[in-house]
Amino acid sequence: MPVSDVVLEDDSVGPYDRLSSSQVNTYRSCKRMWFYEKVLKLKILQIPVLYVGRAVEEAICRTLKESPSLMLKTASELTLSNIPIDENGKPSRDPSAKWPANRIIPLPIDKRPTSIAELENWALARLEIHLPTALENARKDWARQERKSGDWSEVKYDYCLEMCLNGIRFHLDEVNHCYNTIDDATLTDWREGKRHHWPAPDGYGYHLVGKHSLSVTGPVSIAEAWEIARPWFVEPESENFSMNAIHPDYWFQGEYDIVYRWDGNIKIVDIKASKGIGDRSGDYVSQLQMYAMLWWVTHEKQETINDLEIWYLGANVKKSVPNPSINEMSEMESELNQLYNEIKLEKPSIEKCPASPMPLRGFSEGGVSITAPEDMVRCDRCDWQSICPGGGGNEYSLIENEFYIPGLVSQVNTVDIKDLNVRFNLAVEIDSIIYPDDKTPEMKVSQNNNHARVDILASKSQSGKSTYPQSLTKGQKVYLKNVIVTSNFKGELTIKVDPLAEILVSGVGLNLQSLLDFRARWNIAGMVAYKYERRGIGRTGREWHRKGMVILNKNNSIKVSGWANDWGHQYEMAEEGSYVLLANIELDAWANQINGQIGRNSRAHLLR
């Protein structure tokens, strides 16, 4: 099966701490780069091509989901979008759920495609409907990124459409193969409505009643071959990362792009909206081989992959990847588990992640291996070369925690980033509670005449459990575990419940604290990893402008942001690799990431 159902009670790892193929490849390429991105949470420059690839894949999958026996080529892009989704973000298995394809009358047989050419014509029309929306959504997502880089106007629609059509033509090769080779048993099973436990997304539910509504009689039709050959892919309406395949021991996960299985042979395809030129093509090969291992272990080591392919849509090339043997997959599983224990089970220090990158590999168009470039090294193209000793930077060297700043009489004492804390365990009494329809409760609480508002920002914890009990009442004593406490400029307290926090009716085992322990302002110092700015127009029509920076020390980082006018002139003087002092800042957090806030009474000072 391409998707794993997680038993929450048995999952000791959680969705945010598993190993993935991208992490493995990054770590193997350069341990220091992995440390910056996965431990310090530094974000690489967000260039348009990263988002174009997602849009191209989305347009292809939405077209694959649709049926030329059910929809005219001019049908609305929303025809099959109203999929019932369960509380975990997956397509619902509720037998009473309504599925969109069941509400559509199939097209007359004489209105359905009868050749590969007619199928391609229909699919191209569907791509021309889906791609503009996918690209626009991708553009908006890119525009929201604080580290966006590049120029979206350089994204060429015609090239994106060409890549989409290349992908559809690759699929039509599979449809044609199905049409010419399908056996009677496979055809009969499909016509009788038999489906996989995780069927390919097609707008129908998990189980069909009676014969398939799109089936005909006699030899297989080309329109039926489209339905039968449809691969599994992630349902476009599902929540992000909800349909992963996960190792039985929960420490490794992956998300397949496309899985063909109509003839009993399993073929995993990785879609790449690129030409396959350069070092990354080596990562794609190892990624697919890790996916072969993942399929094997999630099928009780009884089922192996038959084929692995990379579709380089920019080059119009299908690249076959060698299947690992059972011995190779067993060895791979052992090596990856050891790596998980080394870098995920416990956070390694920066000393264990040296700036010693792997040499660049050479690949030409279509992912063909060639001689590696001799005039380039990996550090030349790394986002972190200005702060990394492997590039043009230096190892972190700031050791002081006491500073004298011009204009201030007293010294400023800083706190190490790792010692910043906004989380508390609190015993409180509910002053008021309201349950809005289909929303989280609105609460106000108090502790010894200290009052606070409770914002439940996440209804589920990282483990998938509810972050609050049902039927809470006014006057009830509750316990707030690992909640975030913040204050506004008026000194009013807000208690936030995120995926790491929880509201409990019992305080057993909690080390309780007081709201009076809350500290509103902090001083920190560190190296600038990067700066960013964001601008926009507010609801009132007024322009807003915010600035921020991510600063780090040896083993921790924090993102600090604020209104542009509150930063002062030394913000402009700071560069990547500079050391700065940020005094009198506020703190906030989300999950494992603590954030800082520059205010009107804060101060940014360039140290060196």
Side-chain angles (χ1 to χ4, degrees), residues 172-187 219-222 225 228-229 262-265:
L172 289 176
D173 291 341
E174 194 75 25
V175 173
N176 196 40
H177 177 59
C178 173
Y179 178 71
N180 289 310
T181 65
I182 189 170
D183 58 52
D184 290 341
T186 302
L187 177 59
V220 64
S221 69
I222 199 71
I228 297 167
W262 64 269
D263 59 353
N265 294 312

PDB file of all heavy atoms in Angstrom, residues 172-187 219-222 225 228-229 262-265:
ATOM      1  N   LEU A 172       0.273   8.226 -21.016  1.00  0.00           N
ATOM      2  CA  LEU A 172      -0.448   7.617 -22.137  1.00  0.00           C
ATOM      3  C   LEU A 172       0.298   6.404 -22.694  1.00  0.00           C
ATOM      4  O   LEU A 172      -0.330   5.483 -23.241  1.00  0.00           O
ATOM      5  CB  LEU A 172      -0.687   8.651 -23.236  1.00  0.00           C
ATOM      6  CG  LEU A 172      -1.721   9.737 -22.897  1.00  0.00           C
ATOM      7  CD1 LEU A 172      -1.800  10.771 -24.018  1.00  0.00           C
ATOM      8  CD2 LEU A 172      -3.093   9.127 -22.638  1.00  0.00           C
ATOM      9  N   ASP A 173       1.618   6.384 -22.545  1.00  0.00           N
ATOM     10  CA  ASP A 173       2.367   5.174 -22.902  1.00  0.00           C
ATOM     11  C   ASP A 173       1.878   3.993 -22.058  1.00  0.00           C
ATOM     12  O   ASP A 173       1.734   2.870 -22.557  1.00  0.00           O
ATOM     13  CB  ASP A 173       3.864   5.378 -22.675  1.00  0.00           C
ATOM     14  CG  ASP A 173       4.485   6.354 -23.658  1.00  0.00           C
ATOM     15  OD1 ASP A 173       3.875   6.608 -24.717  1.00  0.00           O
ATOM     16  OD2 ASP A 173       5.585   6.871 -23.356  1.00  0.00           O
ATOM     17  N   GLU A 174       1.628   4.269 -20.775  1.00  0.00           N
ATOM     18  CA  GLU A 174       1.138   3.224 -19.875  1.00  0.00           C
ATOM     19  C   GLU A 174      -0.295   2.835 -20.242  1.00  0.00           C
ATOM     20  O   GLU A 174      -0.662   1.654 -20.206  1.00  0.00           O
ATOM     21  CB  GLU A 174       1.198   3.724 -18.429  1.00  0.00           C
ATOM     22  CG  GLU A 174       1.046   2.649 -17.379  1.00  0.00           C
ATOM     23  CD  GLU A 174       2.292   1.790 -17.213  1.00  0.00           C
ATOM     24  OE1 GLU A 174       3.400   2.275 -17.521  1.00  0.00           O
ATOM     25  OE2 GLU A 174       2.149   0.628 -16.771  1.00  0.00           O
ATOM     26  N   VAL A 175      -1.107   3.825 -20.594  1.00  0.00           N
ATOM     27  CA  VAL A 175      -2.485   3.548 -21.019  1.00  0.00           C
ATOM     28  C   VAL A 175      -2.483   2.669 -22.266  1.00  0.00           C
ATOM     29  O   VAL A 175      -3.248   1.692 -22.370  1.00  0.00           O
ATOM     30  CB  VAL A 175      -3.241   4.866 -21.284  1.00  0.00           C
ATOM     31  CG1 VAL A 175      -4.619   4.579 -21.889  1.00  0.00           C
ATOM     32  CG2 VAL A 175      -3.387   5.665 -19.996  1.00  0.00           C
ATOM     33  N   ASN A 176      -1.640   3.001 -23.216  1.00  0.00           N
ATOM     34  CA  ASN A 176      -1.556   2.221 -24.455  1.00  0.00           C
ATOM     35  C   ASN A 176      -1.091   0.797 -24.170  1.00  0.00           C
ATOM     36  O   ASN A 176      -1.598  -0.177 -24.757  1.00  0.00           O
ATOM     37  CB  ASN A 176      -0.605   2.908 -25.430  1.00  0.00           C
ATOM     38  CG  ASN A 176      -0.760   2.396 -26.848  1.00  0.00           C
ATOM     39  OD1 ASN A 176      -1.876   2.157 -27.315  1.00  0.00           O
ATOM     40  ND2 ASN A 176       0.358   2.211 -27.539  1.00  0.00           N
ATOM     41  N   HIS A 177      -0.125   0.671 -23.250  1.00  0.00           N
ATOM     42  CA  HIS A 177       0.349  -0.660 -22.858  1.00  0.00           C
ATOM     43  C   HIS A 177      -0.786  -1.456 -22.218  1.00  0.00           C
ATOM     44  O   HIS A 177      -0.956  -2.656 -22.499  1.00  0.00           O
ATOM     45  CB  HIS A 177       1.521  -0.514 -21.888  1.00  0.00           C
ATOM     46  CG  HIS A 177       2.053  -1.813 -21.369  1.00  0.00           C
ATOM     47  ND1 HIS A 177       2.546  -2.806 -22.187  1.00  0.00           N
ATOM     48  CD2 HIS A 177       2.155  -2.290 -20.092  1.00  0.00           C
ATOM     49  CE1 HIS A 177       2.942  -3.836 -21.455  1.00  0.00           C
ATOM     50  NE2 HIS A 177       2.708  -3.548 -20.178  1.00  0.00           N
ATOM     51  N   CYS A 178      -1.562  -0.802 -21.380  1.00  0.00           N
ATOM     52  CA  CYS A 178      -2.716  -1.452 -20.752  1.00  0.00           C
ATOM     53  C   CYS A 178      -3.723  -1.891 -21.815  1.00  0.00           C
ATOM     54  O   CYS A 178      -4.219  -3.024 -21.799  1.00  0.00           O
ATOM     55  CB  CYS A 178      -3.361  -0.496 -19.753  1.00  0.00           C
ATOM     56  SG  CYS A 178      -4.912  -1.083 -19.029  1.00  0.00           S
ATOM     57  N   TYR A 179      -4.007  -1.010 -22.741  1.00  0.00           N
ATOM     58  CA  TYR A 179      -4.991  -1.295 -23.795  1.00  0.00           C
ATOM     59  C   TYR A 179      -4.586  -2.519 -24.624  1.00  0.00           C
ATOM     60  O   TYR A 179      -5.429  -3.338 -25.014  1.00  0.00           O
ATOM     61  CB  TYR A 179      -5.123  -0.065 -24.693  1.00  0.00           C
ATOM     62  CG  TYR A 179      -6.071  -0.224 -25.854  1.00  0.00           C
ATOM     63  CD1 TYR A 179      -7.448  -0.289 -25.655  1.00  0.00           C
ATOM     64  CD2 TYR A 179      -5.582  -0.303 -27.161  1.00  0.00           C
ATOM     65  CE1 TYR A 179      -8.321  -0.436 -26.727  1.00  0.00           C
ATOM     66  CE2 TYR A 179      -6.442  -0.443 -28.238  1.00  0.00           C
ATOM     67  CZ  TYR A 179      -7.814  -0.512 -28.012  1.00  0.00           C
ATOM     68  OH  TYR A 179      -8.677  -0.654 -29.073  1.00  0.00           O
ATOM     69  N   ASN A 180      -3.295  -2.664 -24.857  1.00  0.00           N
ATOM     70  CA  ASN A 180      -2.815  -3.734 -25.740  1.00  0.00           C
ATOM     71  C   ASN A 180      -2.495  -5.037 -25.024  1.00  0.00           C
ATOM     72  O   ASN A 180      -2.398  -6.087 -25.673  1.00  0.00           O
ATOM     73  CB  ASN A 180      -1.570  -3.268 -26.500  1.00  0.00           C
ATOM     74  CG  ASN A 180      -1.896  -2.231 -27.561  1.00  0.00           C
ATOM     75  OD1 ASN A 180      -2.795  -2.431 -28.376  1.00  0.00           O
ATOM     76  ND2 ASN A 180      -1.182  -1.111 -27.544  1.00  0.00           N
ATOM     77  N   THR A 181      -2.335  -5.006 -23.695  1.00  0.00           N
ATOM     78  CA  THR A 181      -1.858  -6.214 -23.004  1.00  0.00           C
ATOM     79  C   THR A 181      -2.731  -6.668 -21.848  1.00  0.00           C
ATOM     80  O   THR A 181      -2.460  -7.726 -21.268  1.00  0.00           O
ATOM     81  CB  THR A 181      -0.434  -5.981 -22.451  1.00  0.00           C
ATOM     82  OG1 THR A 181      -0.478  -4.963 -21.439  1.00  0.00           O
ATOM     83  CG2 THR A 181       0.528  -5.569 -23.555  1.00  0.00           C
ATOM     84  N   ILE A 182      -3.763  -5.930 -21.457  1.00  0.00           N
ATOM     85  CA  ILE A 182      -4.542  -6.289 -20.279  1.00  0.00           C
ATOM     86  C   ILE A 182      -5.151  -7.685 -20.431  1.00  0.00           C
ATOM     87  O   ILE A 182      -5.614  -8.066 -21.515  1.00  0.00           O
ATOM     88  CB  ILE A 182      -5.644  -5.235 -20.008  1.00  0.00           C
ATOM     89  CG1 ILE A 182      -6.308  -5.491 -18.655  1.00  0.00           C
ATOM     90  CG2 ILE A 182      -6.663  -5.193 -21.135  1.00  0.00           C
ATOM     91  CD1 ILE A 182      -7.236  -4.377 -18.212  1.00  0.00           C
ATOM     92  N   ASP A 183      -5.131  -8.453 -19.348  1.00  0.00           N
ATOM     93  CA  ASP A 183      -5.713  -9.793 -19.401  1.00  0.00           C
ATOM     94  C   ASP A 183      -7.172  -9.749 -18.956  1.00  0.00           C
ATOM     95  O   ASP A 183      -7.646  -8.772 -18.366  1.00  0.00           O
ATOM     96  CB  ASP A 183      -4.909 -10.776 -18.545  1.00  0.00           C
ATOM     97  CG  ASP A 183      -4.804 -10.352 -17.093  1.00  0.00           C
ATOM     98  OD1 ASP A 183      -5.853 -10.070 -16.469  1.00  0.00           O
ATOM     99  OD2 ASP A 183      -3.676 -10.287 -16.572  1.00  0.00           O
ATOM    100  N   ASP A 184      -7.885 -10.818 -19.236  1.00  0.00           N
ATOM    101  CA  ASP A 184      -9.325 -10.853 -18.956  1.00  0.00           C
ATOM    102  C   ASP A 184      -9.621 -10.718 -17.469  1.00  0.00           C
ATOM    103  O   ASP A 184     -10.598 -10.067 -17.076  1.00  0.00           O
ATOM    104  CB  ASP A 184      -9.924 -12.162 -19.491  1.00  0.00           C
ATOM    105  CG  ASP A 184      -9.949 -12.210 -21.011  1.00  0.00           C
ATOM    106  OD1 ASP A 184      -9.850 -11.127 -21.628  1.00  0.00           O
ATOM    107  OD2 ASP A 184     -10.045 -13.321 -21.575  1.00  0.00           O
ATOM    108  N   ALA A 185      -8.789 -11.329 -16.618  1.00  0.00           N
ATOM    109  CA  ALA A 185      -9.056 -11.293 -15.177  1.00  0.00           C
ATOM    110  C   ALA A 185      -8.955  -9.867 -14.640  1.00  0.00           C
ATOM    111  O   ALA A 185      -9.803  -9.425 -13.850  1.00  0.00           O
ATOM    112  CB  ALA A 185      -8.077 -12.210 -14.443  1.00  0.00           C
ATOM    113  N   THR A 186      -7.929  -9.133 -15.069  1.00  0.00           N
ATOM    114  CA  THR A 186      -7.760  -7.751 -14.607  1.00  0.00           C
ATOM    115  C   THR A 186      -8.910  -6.876 -15.090  1.00  0.00           C
ATOM    116  O   THR A 186      -9.452  -6.058 -14.331  1.00  0.00           O
ATOM    117  CB  THR A 186      -6.422  -7.184 -15.110  1.00  0.00           C
ATOM    118  OG1 THR A 186      -5.352  -8.012 -14.649  1.00  0.00           O
ATOM    119  CG2 THR A 186      -6.209  -5.759 -14.612  1.00  0.00           C
ATOM    120  N   LEU A 187      -9.298  -7.052 -16.350  1.00  0.00           N
ATOM    121  CA  LEU A 187     -10.405  -6.273 -16.902  1.00  0.00           C
ATOM    122  C   LEU A 187     -11.708  -6.589 -16.179  1.00  0.00           C
ATOM    123  O   LEU A 187     -12.472  -5.680 -15.824  1.00  0.00           O
ATOM    124  CB  LEU A 187     -10.545  -6.557 -18.398  1.00  0.00           C
ATOM    125  CG  LEU A 187     -11.704  -5.863 -19.121  1.00  0.00           C
ATOM    126  CD1 LEU A 187     -11.589  -4.345 -18.995  1.00  0.00           C
ATOM    127  CD2 LEU A 187     -11.747  -6.277 -20.595  1.00  0.00           C
ATOM    128  N   PRO A 219     -14.381  -6.129 -25.693  1.00  0.00           N
ATOM    129  CA  PRO A 219     -12.953  -5.854 -25.473  1.00  0.00           C
ATOM    130  C   PRO A 219     -12.767  -4.517 -24.745  1.00  0.00           C
ATOM    131  O   PRO A 219     -13.619  -3.630 -24.809  1.00  0.00           O
ATOM    132  CB  PRO A 219     -12.377  -5.804 -26.893  1.00  0.00           C
ATOM    133  CG  PRO A 219     -13.363  -6.533 -27.735  1.00  0.00           C
ATOM    134  CD  PRO A 219     -14.704  -6.286 -27.122  1.00  0.00           C
ATOM    135  N   VAL A 220     -11.640  -4.384 -24.075  1.00  0.00           N
ATOM    136  CA  VAL A 220     -11.366  -3.151 -23.346  1.00  0.00           C
ATOM    137  C   VAL A 220     -11.356  -1.964 -24.304  1.00  0.00           C
ATOM    138  O   VAL A 220     -10.856  -2.051 -25.429  1.00  0.00           O
ATOM    139  CB  VAL A 220     -10.017  -3.247 -22.597  1.00  0.00           C
ATOM    140  CG1 VAL A 220      -8.848  -3.383 -23.565  1.00  0.00           C
ATOM    141  CG2 VAL A 220      -9.816  -2.057 -21.668  1.00  0.00           C
ATOM    142  N   SER A 221     -11.948  -0.868 -23.865  1.00  0.00           N
ATOM    143  CA  SER A 221     -11.935   0.354 -24.673  1.00  0.00           C
ATOM    144  C   SER A 221     -10.766   1.227 -24.246  1.00  0.00           C
ATOM    145  O   SER A 221     -10.209   1.071 -23.157  1.00  0.00           O
ATOM    146  CB  SER A 221     -13.249   1.118 -24.504  1.00  0.00           C
ATOM    147  OG  SER A 221     -13.335   1.663 -23.189  1.00  0.00           O
ATOM    148  N   ILE A 222     -10.399   2.180 -25.090  1.00  0.00           N
ATOM    149  CA  ILE A 222      -9.282   3.066 -24.756  1.00  0.00           C
ATOM    150  C   ILE A 222      -9.645   3.943 -23.562  1.00  0.00           C
ATOM    151  O   ILE A 222      -8.783   4.278 -22.733  1.00  0.00           O
ATOM    152  CB  ILE A 222      -8.873   3.916 -25.981  1.00  0.00           C
ATOM    153  CG1 ILE A 222      -7.455   4.479 -25.787  1.00  0.00           C
ATOM    154  CG2 ILE A 222      -9.861   5.043 -26.236  1.00  0.00           C
ATOM    155  CD1 ILE A 222      -6.371   3.438 -25.886  1.00  0.00           C
ATOM    156  N   ALA A 225      -9.115   1.868 -20.531  1.00  0.00           N
ATOM    157  CA  ALA A 225      -7.683   1.724 -20.254  1.00  0.00           C
ATOM    158  C   ALA A 225      -7.162   2.930 -19.471  1.00  0.00           C
ATOM    159  O   ALA A 225      -6.274   2.792 -18.615  1.00  0.00           O
ATOM    160  CB  ALA A 225      -6.909   1.551 -21.554  1.00  0.00           C
ATOM    161  N   ILE A 228      -8.236   2.164 -15.883  1.00  0.00           N
ATOM    162  CA  ILE A 228      -7.558   1.016 -15.278  1.00  0.00           C
ATOM    163  C   ILE A 228      -6.087   1.317 -15.009  1.00  0.00           C
ATOM    164  O   ILE A 228      -5.535   0.933 -13.975  1.00  0.00           O
ATOM    165  CB  ILE A 228      -7.700  -0.219 -16.197  1.00  0.00           C
ATOM    166  CG1 ILE A 228      -9.182  -0.597 -16.332  1.00  0.00           C
ATOM    167  CG2 ILE A 228      -6.898  -1.399 -15.654  1.00  0.00           C
ATOM    168  CD1 ILE A 228      -9.458  -1.598 -17.442  1.00  0.00           C
ATOM    169  N   ALA A 229      -5.440   2.023 -15.938  1.00  0.00           N
ATOM    170  CA  ALA A 229      -4.002   2.302 -15.803  1.00  0.00           C
ATOM    171  C   ALA A 229      -3.718   3.462 -14.865  1.00  0.00           C
ATOM    172  O   ALA A 229      -2.546   3.718 -14.549  1.00  0.00           O
ATOM    173  CB  ALA A 229      -3.402   2.598 -17.178  1.00  0.00           C
ATOM    174  N   TRP A 262      -1.484  -1.465 -11.969  1.00  0.00           N
ATOM    175  CA  TRP A 262      -2.693  -2.036 -12.567  1.00  0.00           C
ATOM    176  C   TRP A 262      -2.503  -3.473 -13.027  1.00  0.00           C
ATOM    177  O   TRP A 262      -3.453  -4.269 -13.031  1.00  0.00           O
ATOM    178  CB  TRP A 262      -3.148  -1.166 -13.749  1.00  0.00           C
ATOM    179  CG  TRP A 262      -2.175  -1.112 -14.891  1.00  0.00           C
ATOM    180  CD1 TRP A 262      -1.173  -0.214 -15.063  1.00  0.00           C
ATOM    181  CD2 TRP A 262      -2.105  -2.008 -15.995  1.00  0.00           C
ATOM    182  NE1 TRP A 262      -0.468  -0.481 -16.211  1.00  0.00           N
ATOM    183  CE2 TRP A 262      -1.030  -1.585 -16.813  1.00  0.00           C
ATOM    184  CE3 TRP A 262      -2.844  -3.125 -16.391  1.00  0.00           C
ATOM    185  CZ2 TRP A 262      -0.673  -2.242 -17.981  1.00  0.00           C
ATOM    186  CZ3 TRP A 262      -2.493  -3.783 -17.564  1.00  0.00           C
ATOM    187  CH2 TRP A 262      -1.420  -3.344 -18.344  1.00  0.00           C
ATOM    188  N   ASP A 263      -1.278  -3.846 -13.428  1.00  0.00           N
ATOM    189  CA  ASP A 263      -1.033  -5.197 -13.945  1.00  0.00           C
ATOM    190  C   ASP A 263      -0.357  -6.100 -12.921  1.00  0.00           C
ATOM    191  O   ASP A 263       0.127  -7.183 -13.267  1.00  0.00           O
ATOM    192  CB  ASP A 263      -0.190  -5.131 -15.218  1.00  0.00           C
ATOM    193  CG  ASP A 263       1.164  -4.463 -14.993  1.00  0.00           C
ATOM    194  OD1 ASP A 263       1.392  -3.937 -13.882  1.00  0.00           O
ATOM    195  OD2 ASP A 263       1.987  -4.456 -15.931  1.00  0.00           O
ATOM    196  N   GLY A 264      -0.325  -5.668 -11.655  1.00  0.00           N
ATOM    197  CA  GLY A 264       0.320  -6.467 -10.621  1.00  0.00           C
ATOM    198  C   GLY A 264       1.787  -6.159 -10.448  1.00  0.00           C
ATOM    199  O   GLY A 264       2.406  -6.611  -9.477  1.00  0.00           O
ATOM    200  N   ASN A 265       2.371  -5.410 -11.379  1.00  0.00           N
ATOM    201  CA  ASN A 265       3.758  -4.968 -11.257  1.00  0.00           C
ATOM    202  C   ASN A 265       3.786  -3.567 -10.650  1.00  0.00           C
ATOM    203  O   ASN A 265       3.022  -2.692 -11.064  1.00  0.00           O
ATOM    204  CB  ASN A 265       4.438  -4.951 -12.624  1.00  0.00           C
ATOM    205  CG  ASN A 265       4.571  -6.339 -13.214  1.00  0.00           C
ATOM    206  OD1 ASN A 265       5.007  -7.266 -12.541  1.00  0.00           O
ATOM    207  ND2 ASN A 265       4.173  -6.491 -14.471  1.00  0.00           N
TER     208      ASN A 265
END
